[in-house]
Amino acid sequence: MIVLMGIGETPKIFVIFLAAFMSCVVAAFQGVTGVDRTLIDAARVLGASDRTVFLKVVIPASTPFILVGMRIGLGAAWATVVAAEMIGAQKGLGFEMVHAQTYYDIPTIFVGLISIGVIGLVMDRLLLVAERRLTAWQERR
């Protein structure tokens, strides 16, 4: 990406975007194509337009898939952010860990590892709470 976009933040942001985007797109596609045809037909029989079917049937039915894709994308993006910081950044947890590695500062490395894990867990749990609220209608196993 540096060759295509130059040096700076733009290639890093683009790589992070790519890491999250594909999992979100695949999950959304699976959700939309997996909508029960009976629901769409029932909406059509009741006189719903294409827009109404999309907004009131397809999006709510595919929301669980979209949110799972977002959780997967969030994990991929977070890992990519840390990796990008380790390779070519002047600040961030990844940079601090690489800097601590140079001086064999093991406590700083462990604090960085734990911080990365805790921040990732908190972001995942926040998205899980949003998922439970947005899909409260869905049966739980």
Side-chain angles (χ1 to χ4, degrees):
M1 286 295 121
I2 291 173
V3 172
L4 295 174
M5 302 179 136
I7 297 174
E9 296 298 315
T10 306
K12 293 176 201 169
I13 292 169
F14 186 71
V15 168
I16 294 164
F17 166 76
L18 283 179
F21 180 73
M22 289 311 294
S23 59
C24 292
V25 167
V26 169
F29 178 76
Q30 284 297 110
V32 169
T33 58
V35 173
D36 189 2
R37 186 73 190 163
T38 308
L39 297 174
I40 295 171
D41 292 340
R44 292 266 184 235
V45 166
L46 295 171
S49 65
D50 287 343
R51 177 186 162 109
T52 305
V53 168
F54 182 71
L55 293 175
K56 301 287 183 175
V57 177
V58 174
I59 289 180
S62 60
T63 298
F65 290 89
I66 294 168
L67 290 169
V68 166
M70 287 174 64
R71 286 180 67 198
I72 293 168
L74 178 69
W78 181 237
T80 307
V81 165
V82 173
E85 288 175 353
M86 287 180 162
I87 293 171
Q90 300 302 316
K91 56 185 172 182
L93 284 171
F95 172 77
E96 291 298 327
M97 288 175 56
V98 170
H99 188 261
Q101 176 188 1
T102 305
Y103 299 105
Y104 298 104
D105 187 5
I106 303 300
T108 302
I109 294 172
F110 276 112
V111 168
L113 286 171
I114 292 169
S115 299
I116 289 168
V118 168
I119 292 169
L121 182 67
V122 167
M123 289 189 302
D124 181 65
R125 293 301 164 209
L126 288 173
L127 203 50
L128 185 61
V129 168
E131 179 181 346
R132 287 193 178 142
R133 286 190 180 183
L134 291 172
T135 61
W137 51 269
Q138 189 178 23
E139 291 181 19
R140 303 278 182 226
R141 292 183 192 184

